[in-house]
């Protein structure tokens, strides 16, 4: 998936997806055709801090304003999410975000149906081939993981918050702060150890490493593929392809529409 074009005419005839990638340092978005290719240049703004839900929603409205029309929305969020709600938001403050109905609130503002998923899992949808056990590790402000078996998303593994020896959590061990504090060489050794731990835990067939710091990896281990950061956006279209009650579909907002516009858009998408 991927590819950028400044012309809407290059997009396909199917439903268009507004894909939003929420990161600890930046908010990014583009509009995708039915194949997951970008039909508009990616837009980006810095993530505001402090960032309670209302600030985030207002920032996202500003972010997507210049983009072409779309029929539905996919959002990758850096935390644990379920049924359209945020469960944890380690970068933005867990207390203020806990149980916030993010998908429904964003749907109300944008007038389109919204699906919400962990950002590493969205990136996984942008790169997996659907065979065997495929694992995603994202390296940015923190660390994120996603696990897929034969193309189906497995239960979320919040490895970023898991303890690792005396170093704290994986966020502390291979996150951006560790890179800046320890330097690229020591950080690379930490990434290599993290890959070894993941293999011992999951015995994956392939591990994809993405995120803003993936390009700083100097030695790529066997069965590891470095993937472009754009996958955090281009994977958004596949959130709308899982059967009801399975995989990504289980994480969408409840069927109750946020607005009459969203009802109409949802019906059009279902018929496509």
């Amino acid at each position: 998936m991927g590819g950028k074009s400044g012309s809407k005419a290059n997009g396909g005839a199917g439903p268009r997806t507004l894909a939003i990638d929420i990161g600890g340092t930046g908010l990014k978005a583009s509009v995708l055709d039915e194949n997951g290719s970008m039909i508009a240049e990616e837009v980006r703004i810095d993530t505001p801090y402090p960032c309670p839900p209302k600030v985030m929603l207002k920032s996202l409205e500003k972010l997507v304003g210049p983009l072409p029309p779309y029929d539905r929305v996919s959002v990758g969020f850096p935390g644990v999410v379920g049924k359209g709600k945020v469960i944890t938001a380690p970068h933005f403050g867990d207390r203020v975000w806990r149980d916030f109905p993010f998908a429904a609130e964003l749907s109300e503002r944008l007038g389109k149906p919204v699906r919400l998923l962990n950002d590493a899992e969205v990136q996984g949808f942008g790169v997996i081939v659907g065979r065997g056990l495929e694992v995603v590790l994202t390296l940015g402000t923190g660390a994120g993981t996603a696990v897929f078996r034969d193309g189906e998303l497995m239960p979320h593994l919040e490895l970023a918050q898991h303890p690792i020896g005396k170093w704290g959590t994986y966020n502390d061990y291979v996150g951006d702060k560790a890179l800046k504090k320890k330097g690229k060489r020591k950080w690379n050794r930490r990434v290599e150890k993290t890959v070894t731990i993941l293999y011992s835990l999951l015995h994956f067939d392939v591990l994809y490493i993405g995120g803003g710091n993936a390009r700083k990896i100097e030695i790529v281990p066997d069965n590891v593929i470095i993937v472009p950061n754009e996958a955090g956006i281009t994977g958004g279209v596949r959130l709308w392809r899982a059967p009801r009650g399975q995989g990504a579909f289980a994480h969408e907002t409840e069927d109750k529409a946020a607005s009459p516009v969203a009802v109409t858009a949802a019906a059009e998408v279902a018929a496509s």
Side-chain angles (χ1 to χ4, degrees):
M1 289 189 175
K4 295 184 179 182
S5 172
S7 172
K8 291 188 288 184
N10 291 336
R16 291 179 174 179
T17 304
L18 169 64
I20 299 173
D21 183 13
I22 295 175
T25 58
L27 309 176
K28 298 177 290 185
S30 185
V31 176
L32 313 176
D33 67 15
E34 76 276 18
N35 297 315
S37 296
M38 294 185 188
I39 61 173
E41 291 294 327
E42 177 184 296
V43 293
R44 183 193 185 281
I45 59 175
D46 291 340
T47 303
Y49 285 95
C51 193
K54 288 185 178 180
V55 172
M56 176 67 77
L57 290 167
K58 185 176 181 179
S59 297
L60 293 180
E61 283 189 282
K62 177 182 177 181
L63 173 72
V64 306
L67 292 172
Y70 50 87
D71 305 294
R72 58 196 187 183
V73 184
S74 295
V75 181
F77 187 87
V80 180
V81 300
K83 296 181 180 179
K85 295 182 179 181
V86 173
I87 299 172
T88 68
H91 299 302
F92 310 130
D94 283 339
R95 180 176 296 181
V96 70
W97 276 91
R98 184 172 296 278
D99 294 326
F100 182 73
F102 192 32
E105 291 291 333
L106 187 60
S107 178
E108 178 72 28
R109 287 178 179 247
L110 300 182
K112 303 293 180 181
V114 175
R115 288 188 180 177
L116 177 69
L117 199 63
N118 171 266
D119 57 343
E121 293 169 342
V122 175
Q123 184 156 116
F125 274 124
V127 299
I128 63 169
V129 298
R131 294 193 301 271
L133 190 63
E134 298 174 279
V135 178
V136 177
L137 171 65
T138 58
L139 299 173
T141 304
T145 54
V147 181
F148 298 82
R149 183 178 62 192
D150 293 330
E152 183 177 350
L153 178 62
M154 295 291 98
H156 183 66
L157 176 67
E158 188 65 359
L159 184 64
Q161 303 304 318
H162 193 273
I164 177 170
K166 63 182 179 181
W167 298 280
T169 67
Y170 281 79
N171 269 348
D172 302 318
Y173 190 58
V174 292
D176 193 57
K177 288 183 179 180
L179 172 61
K180 292 175 179 176
K181 181 178 180 180
K182 296 296 183 180
K184 187 186 294 186
R185 187 174 182 181
K186 289 185 178 180
W187 179 81
N188 265 269
R189 289 202 294 267
R190 289 186 171 196
V191 172
E192 186 176 5
K193 183 175 180 180
T194 300
V195 171
T196 300
I197 293 171
L198 281 175
Y199 185 78
S200 298
L201 178 67
L202 296 166
H203 292 277
F204 52 76
D205 293 300
V206 60
L207 173 69
Y208 304 97
I209 301 183
N213 287 331
R215 65 182 183 276
K216 299 176 183 177
I217 295 176
E218 297 173 338
I219 299 176
V220 182
D222 293 338
N223 297 341
V224 172
I225 299 174
I226 307 299
V227 298
N229 206 26
E230 289 80 3
I233 290 179
T234 58
V237 71
R238 294 178 71 177
L239 268 66
W240 292 89
R241 295 180 181 172
R244 179 172 293 278
Q246 295 182 19
F249 209 111
H251 294 262
E252 71 166 334
T253 186
E254 297 175 358
D255 288 340
K256 183 173 63 176
S259 68
V261 176
V263 172
T264 303
E268 292 173 351
V269 169
S272 65

